[in-house]
Amino acid sequence: MIVKYSGKKSRSFGLFLLLSSIVILFVTIGLPILVNKSLDSTGLIISSLIILPTLGLFLWAWIDTFYLIDKDNLKVKCGPFVWRINVLDIKIIRLNQKTIGGTMKPTLSWSSIEIRYKKYRSIFISPERQEDFISQLKSINDKIEIKQK
C-alpha cells in the first residue's frame, strides 16, 4: 500500500522564501540599476540566469514537497530533489527539531522531525500528519526508536 503525506507548510517559512526572492531580485537587478543607472543586456542575461532558476526552485519546492511510504521504502521529494530511504534502515526519529542550519532539510516548516538511518545519515522532514506518518513507519520497522528533542 502506498501512503502519501503532504509536507507541512508554515506561512512564515513561505514568507521567508518570498522575502529571499525579493532580495535576490533586488541584488541582481535593482542594485545594478541603482548604481549604474541602467542595466545592459549582458547584465540582464546574467541576472536572469541567476534569478529564474532560483525562483523556479523555490516555487517547485513549495508546490512539490511530499513524503511517500511504499512497502518498506520512504521517498522524500522536495522540488527536483528526491531521497529514497529503506524504512528498515531507520534507527531513530527525533521529534521537535528546528529547521534552521545543518544537514539535508527538505521541509517547508520551521519545526521538523529528524530521521536517522544507516550508520551516520539523517534527514529532516515535516509531514502534515506527523503522528500517522510515524505510526506507518513503525508498522514497517518496529525497531525505530522515537526520541524527544
Side-chain angles (χ1 to χ4, degrees), residues 52-64:
L52 295 177
T54 304
L55 300 181
L57 182 64
F58 287 172
L59 184 61
W60 191 354
W62 187 259
I63 293 170
D64 196 27

Side-chain angles (χ1 to χ4, degrees), residues 104-137:
M104 291 296 166
K105 298 186 178 182
T107 177
L108 300 171
S109 175
W110 298 113
S111 177
S112 59
I113 60 174
E114 177 187 12
I115 296 179
R116 292 189 181 181
Y117 61 101
K118 293 192 176 178
K119 193 168 184 177
Y120 296 112
R121 300 190 118 188
S122 71
I123 191 166
F124 290 71
I125 63 172
S126 57
E128 187 71 49
R129 298 180 342 260
Q130 182 175 300
E131 297 81 19
D132 294 343
F133 177 81
I134 293 171
S135 294
Q136 183 71 25
L137 292 177

Side-chain angles (χ1 to χ4, degrees), residues 13-113:
F13 198 89
L15 183 61
F16 171 75
L17 289 178
L18 180 64
L19 290 175
S20 298
S21 300
I22 291 169
V23 167
I24 291 168
L25 282 169
F26 177 73
V27 169
T28 56
I29 292 180
L31 197 58
I33 289 174
L34 286 175
V35 171
N36 299 328
K37 305 293 185 226
S38 69
L39 186 64
D40 62 1
S41 60
T42 305
L44 186 60
I45 290 169
I46 291 170
S47 296
S48 296
L49 290 173
I50 295 169
I51 295 168
L52 295 177
T54 304
L55 300 181
L57 182 64
F58 287 172
L59 184 61
W60 191 354
W62 187 259
I63 293 170
D64 196 27
T65 294
F66 64 87
Y67 316 106
L68 192 96
I69 301 173
D70 182 12
K71 297 179 185 164
D72 59 351
N73 291 302
L74 168 61
K75 177 182 175 182
V76 175
K77 184 161 186 332
C78 182
F81 306 105
V82 178
W83 294 263
R84 287 179 175 77
I85 300 166
N86 187 319
V87 175
L88 299 175
D89 289 338
I90 297 174
K91 309 290 185 219
I92 297 170
I93 295 177
R94 189 175 303 273
L95 306 174
N96 303 316
Q97 298 299 298
K98 298 297 176 208
T99 300
I100 296 175
T103 61
M104 291 296 166
K105 298 186 178 182
T107 177
L108 300 171
S109 175
W110 298 113
S111 177
S112 59
I113 60 174

